[in-house]
Amino acid sequence: AQVTRSADDFQLQQEAAKTGTAVRGALEAQDNAISGAFDTTIRGSGGNAVSSGSPVADAVLNKASQLDDEISRLYSAAREAAPDEKVVQLNRLAANLKNKAPENEITGGLIKAIRGDLQSRGLIDKNFKAIGKTDVSAAEEVRKVLNSFYKSTSDRGRMLIKDFKDALDDDVLSTFGDDLYKQARSAKASFESGLRTEKLSKFDKNQRSLVRDVLENKIKADDLFDRAVLSKTWKASDLREMRNYLTKGTKEQVQGGLKAWNDLRAETLQWVKDQTFKNALDQSGNPTMASGAIKRSLDKIGNERLGVLFSKDEVKFLNDMQRLESLRQPVPGTGIGKGPSAQAIQALGDRLIQKASEIPGVSLLVDL
């Protein structure tokens, strides 16, 4: 029936599959073969089909942690060069605060709070002018104060905190020569690579970033798969941004990022398989295929995101599975064979024929 697409053949196939026949066994063997093909492809993805997006989130956050560690190392080097000397003046930070002063209200008072702290330390005046110098240890304390405002401000405020920290770092590390300054800039450039939102055209004003939302904990680790792969909120370009970010950086970062990306790919394949095999168990105890589930799953992900997640061979595999699924589906009107009462009518007919054949004079009618 799957080859001929004949309504008559499908009706007979579906009817035969209602009992433990060779036809039923063949259909179940097809289910098992397709399930095995999915397992082989999942193993070939190079990842683990985990049940959450935490490996990707962990890889993104690990990159941020490594940047913080590198900046801390550079501050330590600067502190060793001048342990107690007040040689650092916060000119860049003061100028940055003054430029962003009009945004105080939309950041929940962030600018005013930072200015107040720096004024109390004697480092700037009320007009945002740098007036004093400090040592490296005190500058590090200022950095910690900036971090402490992170949860209490707005999304815009969190973006500004990053800018303020960059300005502070430049003030501190440039004081001790080009070497430390260049090392910091290089580390930050590596971190930022891949965080620049891909523009679809010169008119695209989109400033949202999937990676930044993970960094800023707007997307929880356990929600990442649903949000990035299944939701319409993020596009294929956003997923590509995530892939690029994970596969750039130091050798260690690239290795960890690639593993996390492969985990996401394996999880996606596993999700498609789970959606496909969600019907009742067969006579051997294996889940059976739900009609049309592969197509629905792939439609939910979308061709563009599939192209970002998978290689050409993997996409071909998924398309082949969808094609097999469509060939297995009975033509309209034949899905239940001869109908729900056909088996009972057949059994009753067989019983009547048997009884009638035992009555003298009726055997001829039975034969007819």
Side-chain angles (χ1 to χ4, degrees), residues 33-45:
I34 292 173
S35 176
F38 266 103
D39 291 338
T40 298
T41 304
I42 291 170
R43 288 193 296 271
S45 70

Side-chain angles (χ1 to χ4, degrees), residues 323-367:
R323 175 63 175 158
L324 282 176
E325 176 184 58
S326 66
L327 290 173
R328 283 166 49 88
Q329 291 177 6
V331 297
T334 64
I336 57 174
K338 295 181 179 180
S341 59
Q343 295 288 329
I345 293 172
Q346 182 65 47
L348 178 60
D350 291 344
R351 182 64 174 162
L352 288 172
I353 290 173
Q354 180 184 353
K355 286 296 183 182
S357 65
E358 298 172 359
I359 302 174
V362 180
S363 58
L364 180 60
L365 286 175
V366 172
D367 291 338

